[in-house]
Amino acid sequence: MKILFISPEAVPFAKTGGLADVAGALPVALKKLGVDVRVALPFYQAIRDRYTNISPLLHEISIRLGSQSLRADIFETHMQEKVPVYLIGHDAFYDRPGLYGDAKGDYPDNLERFSFFCHASLCIPEAISFSPDIVHCHDWQTGLVAALIKGGYRHSYLQRTMSVFTVHNVGYQGIFPPEKFSVAGLPLSDFFHIEGFEYWGKLSLLKGGIIYSDAITTVSRKYAEEILTPEYGMGMEGVFLKRKDVLHGILNGVEYEHWNHETDTFIPSNYNHKNIRGKKDCKRDLITETGLDPSMLNRPLLSMVTRLDTQKGIDLVIAAADNIVQMDAALVILGKGSHDLHERLVQTAMRHPDRIKLKLDFDECLAHRIMAGSDMILIPSRYEPCGLTQMYALKYGTVPVVRTTGGLDDTVSEFDAKTGRGNGFKFVPYRSDALVSAIKRACDFFSDTSTWHTIMLNGMKADFSWDRSVKEYMKLYNSLLLEQD
Ligand code: ADP
Ligand code: GLC
């Protein structure tokens, strides 16, 4: 089987969130099963600056974008298991510090940037004589691909290609002014209408991806149900309902080679479920690193590692801060994102300087140290398609306190003292008092060391590796091959 992944992010090359973890791990898991999988990514400045093992592959491929003809230079590198990665280069679009924007907001030419990426990615098969059975696309940035395969690029190398579109987050819909549709390079009358890219008079790349792909996946079973409802569909519920028959919920996996408390080189002491002493060293180290009082070693240390986005329930945590401090707990937050949330968090931390510590940055190493060094992680998301941090936390013996939504609901189960089952604490209504009460339940158990160990071990023993999810993707790909023309 031959698969071309087209993704705007993939670890280790470019990352703003969990999509990168998925697009970096799933191809590797597929390759281990013998699939000939390759990945196309934009050649961002950060990749150019950090990686040297990159060779030119194709020079000056001509790409038509609206009325312009632009050139793409395509480079090649590899991820683990020697999975080829094709980097689509066009400096005017990608030689910038951010992936999608800067402090002023989204880049104004994101439609051009990602349309170009989709077009150039679809030129690769012919240029390198690689005929993919499946093109697997991720999020709105790749929403044009399925339509381009159906409407413009059905050349011999894509003749039998089927498309899969994974929606990682319905909150990002790739909406642009309708008068810019010509940039897409698709015939207006065939594709810009209510059954196509048109969305309340505007152009939505996400909608196009949902409409034209042969199969749609999202990243947990629960989210696949939620997005069919007005509460979670964010206006796309009708579009999903129309395509319900080809919509699948496949839970993301965890790359345990990277998120492994036994071998993690970012943390000061390794440990495992048989010997968790090292976790205390990690906590001591985190307390020192963040400047918390050493007495917190015996008190609950709560954490968050997150994009600062309204999705993530940061407002609930801000509202719960006084209660958290009253419980004699401390909170460490690593986050980057919205300026407004930055400001509000800074004000909250200023009220409790000895108990709330912030690092407003994207810091991969600190993310690992927090995962290992804290007792509980808070994930009170308004919605959460899958969520990876709760799965990382479980492996590191850090107990998740989550809202019952999407993948959080599928992976975290409320601890029941009677049966000794359960790996975390959950709450339902999107309210800070509900969050506080879940934290309170967790803190009460924290004081009972042996019960707390049971909760930690329940989580540490859980297996969310890609082995399971990759089989579900294979099943889906195989079913699509039966439909090939
Ligand atoms: P989302 O994709 O919505 O941001 P996920 O839980 O799926 O949420 O994935 C988030 C990923 O990004 C995890 O790998 C997490 O460790 C990482 N991450 C988020 N914020 C930061 C940050 N400020 N610094 C380092 N890593 C972060
Ligand atoms: C998105 C979602 C997150 C999910 C990730 C990877 O960014 O917000 O819940 O885990 O994609 O699929």
Side-chain angles (χ1 to χ4, degrees):
M1 188 187 298
K2 298 193 188 76
I3 302 185
L4 178 63
F5 265 61
I6 305 184
S7 174
E9 308 183 13
V11 292
F13 304 101
K15 166 164 171 174
T16 65
L19 158 62
D21 298 69
V22 175
L26 179 55
V28 173
L30 288 166
K31 185 73 186 278
K32 286 183 184 157
L33 295 182
V35 175
D36 182 356
V37 55
R38 316 195 180 187
V39 180
L41 263 184
F43 194 10
Y44 299 112
Q45 187 184 79
I47 307 180
R48 188 178 293 262
D49 290 351
R50 288 198 349 247
Y51 292 88
T52 46
N53 186 16
I54 293 174
S55 7
L57 179 71
L58 303 164
H59 185 53
E60 299 215 328
I61 304 233
S62 169
I63 308 288
R64 187 126 211 105
L65 207 64
S67 56
Q68 288 177 289
S69 175
L70 302 175
R71 308 264 163 210
D73 288 323
I74 301 182
F75 299 80
E76 184 175 8
T77 183
H78 293 90
M79 51 173 70
Q80 278 176 57
E81 295 291 319
K82 299 207 165 62
V83 172
V85 176
Y86 304 123
L87 300 165
I88 312 290
H90 183 77
D91 286 353
F93 285 155
Y94 310 123
D95 190 15
R96 305 180 188 182
L99 267 52
Y100 311 124
D102 56 23
K104 283 186 247 144
D106 288 346
Y107 293 131
D109 56 353
N110 274 346
L111 177 63
E112 288 80 356
R113 297 173 76 228
F114 290 102
S115 298
F116 181 88
F117 173 54
C118 293
H119 280 265
S121 297
L122 289 181
C123 291
I124 295 173
E126 190 169 27
I128 63 165
S129 307
F130 172 72
S131 189
D133 297 298
I134 310 274
V135 167
H136 188 158
C137 297
H138 298 265
D139 275 355
W140 69 264
Q141 296 87 336
T142 61
L144 269 187
V145 169
L148 287 174
I149 292 177
K150 291 198 160 61
Y153 280 78
R154 206 126 185 102
H155 53 65
S156 60
Y157 285 92
L158 293 171
Q159 196 69 47
R160 289 162 57 80
T161 301
M162 304 294 283
S163 53
V164 176
F165 186 57
T166 296
V167 178
H168 293 262
N169 194 328
V170 181
Y172 298 87
Q173 304 188 340
I175 295 191
F176 298 97
E179 58 276 15
K180 281 187 138 191
F181 189 71
S182 64
V183 170
L186 288 163
L188 186 80
S189 56
D190 293 345
F191 288 93
F192 194 74
H193 48 70
I194 186 112
E195 301 291 330
F197 284 89
E198 194 255 334
Y199 182 63
W200 299 107
K202 297 200 170 137
L203 150 65
S204 164
L205 292 182
L206 180 77
K207 186 182 170 203
I210 300 167
I211 297 270
Y212 293 106
S213 299
D214 296 309
I216 305 152
T217 70
T218 187
V219 286
S220 68
R221 228 173 278 276
K222 177 87 183 264
Y223 194 58
E225 289 165 13
E226 288 176 337
I227 54 179
L228 303 176
T229 67
E231 188 183 356
Y232 291 98
M234 299 190 164
M236 289 287 168
E237 58 276 9
V239 187
F240 282 117
L241 275 168
K242 275 201 192 113
R243 306 240 50 219
K244 191 167 174 269
D245 294 348
V246 296
L247 171 65
H248 308 262
I250 304 180
L251 191 75
N252 288 332
V254 173
E255 207 193 349
Y256 284 127
E257 278 167 35
H258 188 59
W259 289 98
N260 185 340
H261 52 331
E262 293 189 76
T263 53
D264 194 326
T265 52
F266 296 127
I267 65 177
S269 191
N270 293 112
Y271 56 98
N272 60 32
H273 66 275
K274 292 193 190 118
N275 181 354
I276 52 173
R277 253 176 308 163
K279 186 162 172 70
K280 195 103 186 178
D281 297 334
C282 295
K283 183 172 179 184
R284 191 176 293 108
D285 185 77
L286 183 63
I287 285 174
T288 311
E289 177 173 358
T290 53
L292 282 167
D293 192 274
S295 65
M296 290 317 295
L297 192 61
N298 298 314
R299 296 301 309 152
L301 177 50
L302 282 50
S303 66
M304 292 186 87
V305 175
T306 183
R307 284 185 294 117
L308 295 180
D309 184 287
T310 49
Q311 173 194 344
K312 300 292 181 181
I314 316 288
D315 51 338
L316 296 192
V317 176
I318 291 172
D322 293 354
N323 299 84
I324 292 172
V325 171
Q326 275 158 21
M327 288 180 224
D328 200 13
L331 174 61
V332 170
I333 301 179
L334 169 63
K336 190 170 175 198
S338 123
H339 179 68
D340 173 54
L341 289 172
H342 274 214
E343 292 290 304
R344 290 172 58 201
L345 279 172
V346 169
Q347 282 162 18
T348 309
M350 275 164 66
R351 287 209 318 274
H352 304 288
D354 351 320
R355 288 307 172 90
I356 301 184
K357 299 292 179 186
L358 296 180
K359 176 136 187 224
L360 300 176
D361 198 358
F362 193 93
D363 184 336
E364 176 78 21
C365 312
L366 182 57
H368 284 246
R369 289 199 293 276
I370 289 178
M371 230 31 109
S374 51
D375 299 303
M376 300 169 204
I377 188 160
L378 306 183
I379 317 178
S381 305
R382 200 178 283 273
Y383 71 95
E384 195 60 72
C386 177
L388 296 170
T389 45
Q390 81 279 12
M391 297 196 270
Y392 302 154
L394 286 167
K395 183 48 78 190
Y396 281 68
T398 298
V399 175
V401 178
V402 306
R403 189 163 166 263
T404 51
T405 178
L408 298 173
D409 202 26
D410 287 354
T411 53
V412 178
S413 50
E414 174 84 19
F415 178 69
D416 178 347
K418 283 199 206 92
T419 60
R421 294 222 180 107
N423 57 20
F425 296 88
K426 296 163 77 158
F427 66 99
V428 182
Y430 189 81
R431 289 203 319 259
S432 71
D433 61 324
L435 167 64
V436 169
S437 130
I439 297 174
K440 174 93 181 42
R441 290 198 301 282
C443 286
D444 288 346
F445 283 116
F446 180 82
S447 332
D448 171 357
T449 311
S450 110
T451 307
W452 191 252
H453 279 178
T454 305
I455 306 172
M456 285 168 69
L457 293 185
N458 288 349
M460 292 173 88
K461 285 185 200 150
D463 179 9
F464 292 108
S465 60
W466 274 105
D467 297 351
R468 176 189 35 81
S469 308
V470 75
K471 285 188 194 125
E472 291 189 54
Y473 278 106
M474 282 304 282
K475 209 164 126 199
L476 173 66
Y477 298 147
N478 279 320
S479 73
L480 288 173
L481 294 196
L482 297 175
E483 290 176 32
Q484 273 178 334
D485 300 336

